[in-house]
Amino acid sequence: EIVLTQSPATLSLSPGERATLSCRASQSVSRYLAWYQQKPGQAPSLLIYDASNRATGIPARFSGSGSGTDFTLTISSLEPEDFAVYYCQQRNNWPLFTFGPGTRVDIK
Amino acid sequence: QVTLRESGPALVRPTETLTLTCTFSGFSLTTSGMCVSWVRQPPGKALEWLALIDWDDDKYYSTSLKTRLTISRDTSKNQVVLTMTNMDPVDTATYYCARISREPWYFDLWGRGTLVTVSS
């Protein structure tokens, strides 16, 4: 099973600041990695797929990069609605999907 | 409009079998590239993928849970059913159904989830 680890566990930032979230895979997942945002009481929603492609309707302040085992989600300037938990997920080992443990982005 | 909605019992006793239904609209599960999956999330914890059924009626299961899971579909009713046997308190979670479609081949639409508590 491919294990995903995310860091940091919690990120405390102010609106307008840049957020950088990391996801590392236990083995190469090529570029088959996605990022999801989950707000309290809501289902996750797809942000980024195949490492760097924004899903439909996702603002340009969200960007993804990486390949192999190391990936990054960047939020260029945090908006109030961006404070949430972010999960990475791999599909390289289709369909034995795995998710990371999540990074919480809190208001500082 | 594409929607998915989970339904099932809110409370299950230990050792019982859980049956959850995902009712969807706005797409057909027989269209090439369409899949429906189940994902769960214990309170305050991370997401865990459980099972997937695809447009060809092929079924796939989490390695750690496959002996307890069965996924099936009723295309005439636009429903996907998940059963999980021998429920335990550690199975307490919100259970989501989610769609995977060709491009992007990820969970692009989710239901709102249903909280299942396992307790005697």
Side-chain angles (χ1 to χ4, degrees):
Chain A
E1 176 181 295
I2 297 174
V3 177
L4 300 178
T5 55
Q6 291 185 242
S7 61
T10 303
L11 197 52
S12 296
L13 295 168
S14 301
E17 289 193 296
R18 183 184 189 89
T20 303
L21 288 68
S22 175
C23 177
R24 177 165 289 179
S26 59
Q27 63 190 78
S28 176
V29 298
S30 185
R31 291 180 59 82
Y32 297 128
L33 188 111
W35 292 91
Y36 298 84
Q37 178 192 67
Q38 187 177 34
K39 298 179 181 179
Q42 296 184 18
S45 61
L46 180 65
L47 291 175
I48 300 287
Y49 66 94
D50 287 347
S52 62
N53 297 304
R54 278 189 299 276
T56 303
I58 301 304
R61 65 180 181 273
F62 292 92
S63 63
S65 64
S67 65
T69 61
D70 290 297
F71 300 85
T72 300
L73 173 69
T74 301
I75 310 170
S76 60
S77 178
L78 282 164
E79 296 288 339
E81 62 267 28
D82 299 337
F83 292 92
V85 180
Y86 294 83
Y87 294 96
C88 56
Q89 175 243 325
Q90 65 81 24
R91 71 166 181 90
N92 185 69
N93 196 17
W94 178 282
L96 300 182
F97 310 116
T98 50
F99 291 88
T103 290
R104 179 180 305 276
V105 179
D106 278 347
I107 299 178
K108 188 173 182 180
Chain B
Q1 184 184 6
V2 180
T3 63
L4 304 98
R5 186 182 76 250
E6 306 86 351
S7 59
L11 179 65
V12 174
R13 307 297 181 191
T15 76
E16 288 184 343
T17 294
L18 170 68
T19 299
L20 294 172
T21 300
C22 175
T23 303
F24 57 89
S25 63
F27 67 96
S28 171
L29 193 43
T30 60
T31 298
S32 177
M34 288 296 179
C35 312
V36 171
S37 247
W38 288 91
V39 176
R40 72 178 179 179
Q41 185 173 38
K45 295 189 178 180
L47 302 161
E48 179 184 19
W49 174 73
L50 300 177
L52 177 145
I53 190 165
D54 73 11
W55 65 98
D56 264 348
D57 204 24
D58 291 323
K59 304 165 179 106
Y60 304 91
Y61 300 99
S62 160
T63 303
S64 60
L65 292 168
K66 63 182 177 181
T67 61
R68 299 174 54 205
L69 296 173
T70 302
I71 192 169
S72 61
R73 69 183 189 177
D74 184 333
T75 54
S76 67
K77 294 182 179 179
N78 280 350
Q79 290 181 334
V80 170
V81 175
L82 180 76
T83 63
M84 181 180 291
T85 62
N86 195 25
M87 293 292 285
D88 182 272
V90 300
D91 297 312
T92 294
T94 296
Y95 287 75
Y96 296 100
C97 63
R99 185 187 79 166
I100 292 177
S101 62
R102 187 189 301 273
E103 294 305 328
W105 289 115
Y106 292 90
F107 303 106
D108 60 351
L109 286 164
W110 297 66
R112 297 176 66 176
T114 185
L115 176 62
V116 178
T117 301
V118 184
S119 175
S120 55

